Amino acid sequence: MKILQIKNSVVSIASEIQNAYIDFSKMTVSIVAIVTDVIKDDKPVIGYGFHSNGRYAQAGLLRERFLPRLIEAKPENIVDDQRDNLDPFKIWDILMTNEKPGGHGERSVAVGVLDMAVWDAVAKIEEKPLCRLLTERFDKGKSEKEIFVYAAGGYYYPGKGTEKLVKEMRGYLEQGYKVVKMKIGAASLSEDMQRIEAVLRELEKHIDSGETPGSRLAVDANGRFDLSTALAYARELQPLGLFWYEEAGDPLDYHLQSELSSAYDKPFATGENLFSHQDVANLLRYGGLRPEKDYLQMDPALAYGLVEYLRMLDVLAQFNWSPHNCIPHGGHQFALHLAAGLGLGGNESYPGVFQPFGGFADETPIKNSMVRLTDHPGVGFEAKSDLMDLFHTHFN
């Protein structure tokens, strides 16, 4: 079994939207296609990969370090000893050859792109959806066919007032989402509270008996706040009973998170900008997070891929956290398969932005904030027509 070719390219997902920290006007994504010598349906098996929004394309790292290592590897060193298939763990070790510990900033993204493509190919070779393969290999019980998703949006952009924000959130509810998320932190506290209250008034029209509108709304500061600002927002958010308050401060400021956890007793979410299992361990040691209510958002496409994500889940188990506390960042179909196959609590969704990478298979509408997985082999990118059109444009 061999890898015949690895194709890679850079595409733009430029947009005028902004969160509290960055705008997306120059955002790019790396994409790869790993072509194997395995033939299925008279065609070679190809594994596809990309990374999530928020980090730029890693063309230099891929070209100079990671692609040469994989291309130069001997075929016998990338094959699973127990199966007639590629071995993602051996391949991961090859990719990380001669890399020092630490420094999990950008190389984790480059490795994550390739890891996704490898797992897509592995599941296709076994002719199984990735979620089923994960359940079988890692003894996680029954693979779920439906997964909870929430709609992430509510970005700032020029000329977008409260009326347009409310209209956007109403649109997500009409698409079948029950839980929505909006950005905070790029405006003043008083302005943000006006935005939040306007969305809550809209949500109140859609809640079920016994629910509160706050239980349907998450807010995300994208790491913008210092401790005093984070606490000031917490005081205003506390009475609202929000679904969660996300990433108030810098992702590595565990002291800030710990202090905030002492002052705010509603759920937090964080972790999307942690890229190693060591960082996850430090978050759980020092961040004051509570396994009975808080959520972890590590994104496998940004964090060295599924191989490293499995190590993160091992860390969670050591700290008596459940995989159900994990709702990955990224809004992509790869993380959706991990949620279904590894017993995670759900997945982010981007119904309005970051296309064609955000979103799921064409034939899987959202109903009551749940989405079904298809039975397509691999990650099922072939069932997402706009994404496959992009892959074909760059790789055919």
Side-chain angles (χ1 to χ4, degrees):
M1 182 172 296
K2 298 179 181 179
I3 292 175
L4 299 179
Q5 187 179 12
I6 305 176
K7 305 175 183 180
N8 75 101
S9 188
V10 173
V11 298
S12 171
I13 53 168
S15 170
E16 63 180 343
I17 62 174
Q18 304 172 21
N19 62 32
Y21 232 110
I22 64 172
D23 68 66
F24 293 84
S25 60
K26 297 182 180 179
M27 188 60 61
T28 54
V29 171
S30 286
I31 59 174
V32 301
I34 295 179
V35 183
T36 75
D37 66 347
V38 178
I39 303 298
K40 300 285 183 180
D41 298 325
D42 299 321
K43 297 178 182 178
V45 170
I46 301 175
Y48 295 102
F50 59 84
H51 64 80
S52 303
N53 62 83
R55 300 284 159 174
Y56 295 92
Q58 302 300 312
L61 289 176
L62 286 166
R63 180 179 63 252
E64 295 167 10
R65 283 165 34 201
F66 297 109
L67 287 177
R69 289 171 189 164
L70 185 51
I71 292 168
E72 293 166 7
K74 295 180 180 179
E76 60 267 27
N77 291 338
I78 65 172
V79 174
D80 191 325
D81 294 333
Q82 306 301 318
R83 307 172 181 90
D84 187 19
N85 208 329
L86 300 174
D87 188 323
F89 297 90
K90 287 184 177 180
I91 289 173
W92 197 94
D93 288 341
I94 288 167
L95 293 174
M96 290 297 290
T97 299
N98 219 32
E99 295 286 328
K100 289 183 68 175
H104 304 296
E106 298 295 317
R107 74 180 181 193
S108 65
V109 182
V111 174
V113 173
L114 291 167
D115 177 272
M116 183 189 295
V118 169
W119 282 102
D120 186 35
V122 165
K124 286 173 177 173
I125 289 169
E126 293 199 16
E127 301 184 82
K128 299 172 183 176
L130 178 60
C131 58
R132 188 193 309 161
L133 180 141
L134 296 179
T135 299
E136 292 173 357
R137 289 200 182 187
F138 303 111
D139 193 25
K140 298 298 182 181
K142 182 181 178 181
S143 178
E144 297 294 334
K145 292 300 293 182
E146 286 192 328
I147 295 298
F148 164 76
V149 290
Y150 69 90
Y155 289 85
Y156 301 91
Y157 63 81
K160 181 182 182 180
T162 300
E163 184 177 341
K164 289 184 178 180
L165 171 64
V166 171
K167 182 179 179 181
E168 176 191 352
M169 295 297 165
R170 185 186 307 125
Y172 297 150
L173 298 171
E174 291 170 351
Q175 291 177 49
Y177 295 93
K178 296 181 69 174
V179 177
V180 297
K181 185 172 81 176
M182 60 179 283
K183 300 298 183 180
I184 59 173
S188 66
L189 173 56
S190 61
E191 184 179 344
D192 271 340
M193 289 307 300
Q194 291 174 10
R195 297 170 65 246
I196 290 169
E197 288 162 2
V199 173
L200 290 174
R201 287 192 293 271
E202 180 63 32
L203 287 169
E204 193 165 15
K205 303 173 186 177
H206 301 269
I207 59 175
D208 299 326
S209 176
E211 287 186 320
T212 63
S215 68
R216 297 281 197 91
L217 178 63
V219 297
D220 181 4
N222 288 105
R224 181 68 181 186
F225 300 149
D226 59 18
L227 179 57
S228 62
T229 307
L231 290 169
Y233 270 79
R235 286 190 289 270
E236 295 296 321
L237 298 175
Q238 177 78 36
L240 303 180
L242 297 182
F243 190 80
W244 70 45
Y245 175 14
E246 178 177 337
E247 207 165 38
D250 187 281
L252 295 180
D253 193 341
Y254 305 133
H255 173 72
L256 180 151
Q257 183 61 57
S258 180
E259 291 292 306
L260 193 56
S261 296
S262 298
Y264 182 81
D265 65 7
K266 300 300 188 293
F268 288 107
T270 190
E272 72 176 66
N273 290 302
L274 299 183
F275 303 140
S276 72
H277 70 276
Q278 294 92 343
D279 283 336
V280 172
N282 283 331
L283 174 65
L284 299 185
R285 284 190 186 103
Y286 307 119
L289 295 175
R290 304 144 304 184
E292 71 276 10
K293 67 177 66 174
D294 295 330
Y295 295 92
L296 302 172
Q297 301 171 293
M298 294 80 70
D299 182 342
L302 299 178
Y304 293 108
L306 172 53
V307 169
E308 181 71 4
Y309 197 84
L310 290 167
R311 298 186 184 114
M312 293 178 181
L313 293 183
D314 288 342
V315 167
L316 262 65
Q318 294 167 23
F319 285 86
N320 297 314
W321 280 67
S322 167
H324 202 72
N325 291 81
C326 295
I327 300 182
H329 164 270
H332 47 74
Q333 198 150 307
F334 184 62
L336 188 71
H337 275 269
L338 271 62
L342 299 175
L344 310 186
N347 197 42
E348 189 169 27
S349 178
Y350 288 110
V353 292
F354 306 128
Q355 299 303 318
F357 302 101
F360 315 118
D362 297 341
E363 68 266 32
T364 53
I366 311 299
K367 295 182 179 179
N368 293 319
S369 256
M370 304 293 287
V371 62
R372 290 187 62 81
L373 281 90
T374 72
D375 290 324
H376 288 266
V379 182
F381 296 136
E382 287 76 7
K384 193 174 189 306
S385 57
D386 55 353
L387 181 56
M388 288 310 299
D389 287 344
L390 181 141
F391 285 144
H392 290 154
T393 296
H394 284 265
F395 295 145
N396 279 0

